[in-house]
Amino acid sequence: MKIETISTNSYADQKPGTSGLRKKVSVFQKPHYLENFVQSIFNIATELNNGVLVLGGDGRYYNQTAIQVILKIAAANNVKHVMVGQDGILSTPAVSCLIRKYQTAGGIILSASHNPGGPTGDFGIKFNIANGGPAPTTFTDAVYEDSKTIKQYTIANAEDIDLSQQHTCHMGKMKISVIDPVADYADLMEELFDFKKIKSLFASGLLTMCFDAMHAVTGPYAKEIFENRLSANVNALINSIPKEDFGGGHPDPNLAHAKELVARLNAGLNAPMFGAASDGDGDRNMIIGQKFFVNPSDSLAIMTANAHLLPGYKQGICGVARSLPTSRAVDKVADALGIECYETPTGWKYFGNLLDDNRITLCGEESFGSGSNHIREKDGIWAVLFWLNLIAVKQHSVEEITRSHWKQYGRHYYTRHDYEAIDSNVADELIQNMRNKAESLAGTNYSDYEIVLCDDFSYTDPVDNSITSQQGIRILFKDESRIVFRLSGTGTEGATLRVYIERYVTNPEQHNLDTQAALAPLIQIADEVAEIKTRCQRETPDVIT
Ligand code: VG1
Ligand code: CO
């Protein structure tokens, strides 16, 4: 096998964001664009030299093409063994699971998560380190630096590998195993949850579910776990065959995009009792009941309060963490349990050290992400199983479990307003303006709301003392309400402004309000303080979750 050294010109825009490098497919198709970035990963991740690599993606357009290229670059860069998912399929949580189980040097995941796919959609690439989690910023910064000056890459001149069946072969000296993408992950789930109990509830007909894989990666996982291992009701799965363009949809599990699922759960007498959906790469989850939505921040709080009831967590939990914009519902539970609750910047990579250091067992984000120390990624199917197991133990509906949680801990009304594809300069100026006036806002009043603190969130990692600053403007009010402003790090068009708004209400008589109505005064204040409408020239947000 011949190894070729190819001269290349560097690109200036290969800076990874919140979760890897994400660009339009057409950008990844530019000459040497993918090759350059992959070579930069190999230049920095020296542990891959003579090491084992896990490789797979969410099945979107360009997945298999990219896998063939990466295999050849891996062979040229002296990788010992690559474990690649059959058909190029591996969900993000499955990659994390495999890295940990087989103690590999790392993994490459091809995904742009919930962003649309297809030739005109998005593509992405992420590198996970030996603990199974997303590479830390020190690593991604180093890759970015390398990518700005890269002059050559090496690649094996070899035939494409057959990915359509499980087998083992070699490319030069490098071993390639095309593996079952599901089995190891499904086995891990079976260790954590009481499959027997859930299965018998399905068998009795007392529990019915609908899971929407949104034509993305979780289809095969859902089939094996919900159909084969748990014998769920017929028609439990929808959109469960992965498609390169996600059926033209937006594989983002929220009320706006999982329309078919929501319609089924709202279908009256024939509706399943439990509904869930996952995103492109299988790390997000949405949980719903009949005509009832569980806010992801509440889901994390409910999980924390009840984890000890489930087999995998029966020892209790040592601590929890949430990202800055996630509501403080989980803080109330942590207080009651007497455990630590860490507040981190947005992105799963910030949970890695806390998990590795045994400071936390559960963690989550408002953006439909939750997970635990079982792997180092957020995990959609895991969250669904957590809820199914909880329902089996409590024999209560999704709504009953959530309402009784609010009764005990109070309710955090919560919403996120996204302004998408706005001019980057306008977005930067809006944030800079908030930064400039942050200090002066403390002590001022907006209608009935008194601001007690306003700052730009900075995080000091308690394990390695690294500091991450400028992570979002937060305004805290005297009544525990909160507004957070930050810019997205995953978009591929202009800038996206995210505004996160929450209000804490203890009185159970006030727990039935419409979320947007309950938050209306704070939504108004957010606009007034940050001058959103005038600066962005938008009357309303593009997406409300
Ligand atoms: C978004 C979410 C963040 C999440 C990230 C990756 O980032 O807000 O909570 O960790 O996506 O999720 P941003 O920077 O656009 O706000 V996924 O499912 O895309 O891997
Ligand atoms: Co995702």
Side-chain angles (χ1 to χ4, degrees):
M1 186 191 68
K2 201 164 163 263
I3 306 289
E4 292 177 346
T5 301
I6 311 285
S7 303
T8 184
N9 292 318
S10 59
Y11 287 90
D13 66 344
Q14 298 196 324
K15 187 175 169 52
T18 313
S19 180
L21 181 69
R22 231 171 255 192
K23 300 280 175 195
K24 292 269 170 231
V25 168
S26 55
V27 175
F28 272 102
Q29 286 170 327
K30 286 188 195 171
H32 311 308
Y33 193 92
L34 172 72
E35 290 86 344
N36 281 9
F37 189 72
V38 172
Q39 182 63 56
S40 289
I41 291 178
F42 282 110
N43 290 347
I44 303 304
T46 48
E47 63 271 30
L48 293 176
N49 193 321
N50 204 26
V52 183
L53 174 75
V54 178
L55 175 63
D58 64 10
R60 68 177 59 224
Y61 181 80
Y62 213 55
N63 190 40
Q64 297 219 10
T65 313
I67 285 178
Q68 299 292 355
V69 170
I70 294 169
L71 284 171
K72 290 168 196 172
I73 296 180
N77 281 273
N78 207 27
V79 171
K80 186 164 71 183
H81 178 196
V82 181
M83 302 170 73
V84 55
Q86 187 177 0
D87 296 321
I89 290 285
L90 280 177
S91 73
T92 289
V95 169
S96 189
C97 162
L98 290 165
I99 293 172
R100 294 172 70 77
K101 183 163 178 178
Y102 298 103
Q103 298 181 345
T104 78
I108 290 179
I109 308 171
L110 304 169
S111 172
S113 190
H114 53 289
N115 296 19
T120 57
D122 290 350
F123 191 72
I125 176 164
K126 327 187 250 187
F127 181 69
N128 281 28
I129 55 174
N131 76 348
T137 335
T138 42
F139 179 93
T140 50
D141 284 349
V143 170
Y144 175 46
E145 285 309 312
D146 189 80
S147 75
K148 286 193 282 191
T149 55
I150 193 165
K151 294 203 170 52
Q152 61 181 48
Y153 62 86
T154 54
I155 186 160
N157 187 344
E159 293 289 309
D160 280 1
I161 297 299
D162 176 13
L163 296 174
S164 69
Q165 49 187 322
Q166 293 167 33
H167 65 112
T168 300
C169 60
H170 282 82
M171 188 180 277
K173 278 192 298 191
M174 185 177 82
K175 179 177 163 189
I176 299 175
S177 315
V178 181
I179 59 164
D180 179 338
V182 177
D184 292 298
Y185 175 82
D187 291 348
L188 175 60
M189 293 301 111
E190 215 162 334
E191 282 169 30
L192 297 174
F193 301 111
D194 191 343
F195 272 41
K196 230 172 111 190
K197 204 180 197 101
I198 303 171
K199 192 173 176 176
S200 70
L201 206 63
F202 278 130
S204 70
L206 289 171
L207 175 63
T208 48
M209 72 177 285
C210 181
F211 176 81
D212 187 352
M214 306 192 83
H215 297 298
V217 80
T218 50
Y221 296 86
K223 243 184 166 28
E224 171 62 15
I225 292 171
F226 302 127
E227 276 187 6
N228 298 349
R229 300 199 187 191
L230 291 171
S231 310
N233 50 287
V234 284
N235 301 327
L237 309 183
I238 56 172
N239 304 321
S240 62
I241 303 199
K243 290 191 181 157
E244 285 200 329
D245 66 347
F246 308 121
H250 202 134
D252 199 355
N254 56 38
L255 294 177
H257 292 115
K259 285 216 172 70
E260 189 180 343
L261 172 75
V262 173
R264 288 195 187 219
L265 268 286
N266 291 352
L269 279 180
N270 295 322
M273 296 160 198
F274 174 84
S278 191
D279 69 332
D281 62 330
D283 57 0
R284 297 186 176 206
N285 75 90
M286 174 173 72
I287 303 295
I288 56 178
Q290 293 177 339
K291 298 186 182 159
F292 191 84
F293 168 70
V294 183
N295 184 281
S297 300
D298 282 347
S299 181
L300 176 63
I302 291 167
M303 286 174 163
T304 305
N306 294 292
H308 62 281
L309 301 172
L310 312 190
Y313 306 93
K314 62 174 186 287
Q315 262 90 33
I317 51 178
C318 60
V320 285
R322 61 161 175 80
S323 64
L324 161 75
T326 305
S327 99
R328 292 184 295 177
V330 70
D331 301 37
K332 296 288 174 196
V333 182
D335 273 356
L337 294 176
I339 57 173
E340 196 69 37
C341 178
Y342 297 86
E343 183 173 49
T344 60
T346 296
W348 212 260
K349 55 182 172 241
Y350 297 102
F351 295 135
N353 277 349
L354 300 173
L355 290 162
D356 285 351
D357 204 43
N358 289 321
R359 287 169 184 255
I360 59 168
T361 309
L362 297 179
C363 42
E365 297 191 278
E366 54 68 41
S367 54
F368 297 82
S370 38
S372 87
N373 58 358
H374 68 293
I375 53 169
R376 295 293 180 272
E377 285 280 4
K378 57 186 184 268
D379 190 343
I381 298 254
W382 169 88
V384 177
L385 288 165
F386 194 114
W387 269 90
L388 286 172
N389 200 154
L390 190 57
I391 290 167
V393 170
K394 293 207 164 201
Q395 308 262 336
H396 287 155
S397 71
V398 172
E399 179 166 355
E400 286 162 349
I401 291 172
T402 309
R403 287 196 181 279
S404 82
H405 184 90
W406 290 340
K407 208 165 172 191
Q408 186 172 354
Y409 296 98
R411 176 172 182 185
H412 286 77
Y413 284 99
Y414 184 86
T415 193
R416 184 176 105 187
H417 288 196
D418 292 336
Y419 297 82
E420 295 181 336
I422 52 178
D423 184 278
S424 294
N425 294 327
V426 170
D428 290 341
E429 279 165 26
L430 184 148
I431 294 289
Q432 191 53 49
N433 175 50
M434 286 302 298
R435 231 171 245 147
N436 295 344
K437 68 180 183 188
E439 234 173 275
S440 67
L441 283 173
T444 58
N445 284 285
Y446 282 80
S447 57
D448 294 342
Y449 290 85
E450 181 185 339
I451 296 178
V452 291
L453 179 127
C454 179
D455 67 359
D456 192 350
F457 180 65
S458 171
Y459 177 63
T460 305
D461 185 305
V463 180
D464 66 14
N465 294 315
S466 59
I467 296 173
T468 314
S469 52
Q470 301 203 323
Q471 291 302 302
I473 309 290
R474 56 175 180 178
I475 304 181
L476 304 183
F477 296 89
K478 203 171 175 185
D479 71 340
E480 298 193 35
S481 295
R482 213 167 60 125
I483 302 174
V484 174
F485 302 89
R486 60 178 283 282
L487 300 182
S488 159
T490 58
T492 57
E493 260 180 70
T496 294
L497 170 70
R498 304 203 196 283
V499 187
Y500 311 82
I501 300 152
E502 83 187 66
R503 182 183 147 206
Y504 181 49
V505 177
T506 48
N507 181 358
E509 281 168 25
Q510 297 283 312
H511 286 171
N512 287 318
L513 307 176
D514 168 75
T515 298
Q516 298 304 314
L519 295 170
L522 287 157
I523 294 169
Q524 172 65 30
I525 293 170
D527 180 49
E528 216 172 296
V529 182
E531 301 157 20
I532 302 171
K533 285 181 190 161
T534 43
R535 286 176 181 271
C536 302
Q537 297 282 305
R538 299 276 171 92
E539 269 316 299
T540 50
D542 297 279
V543 183
I544 296 180
T545 45

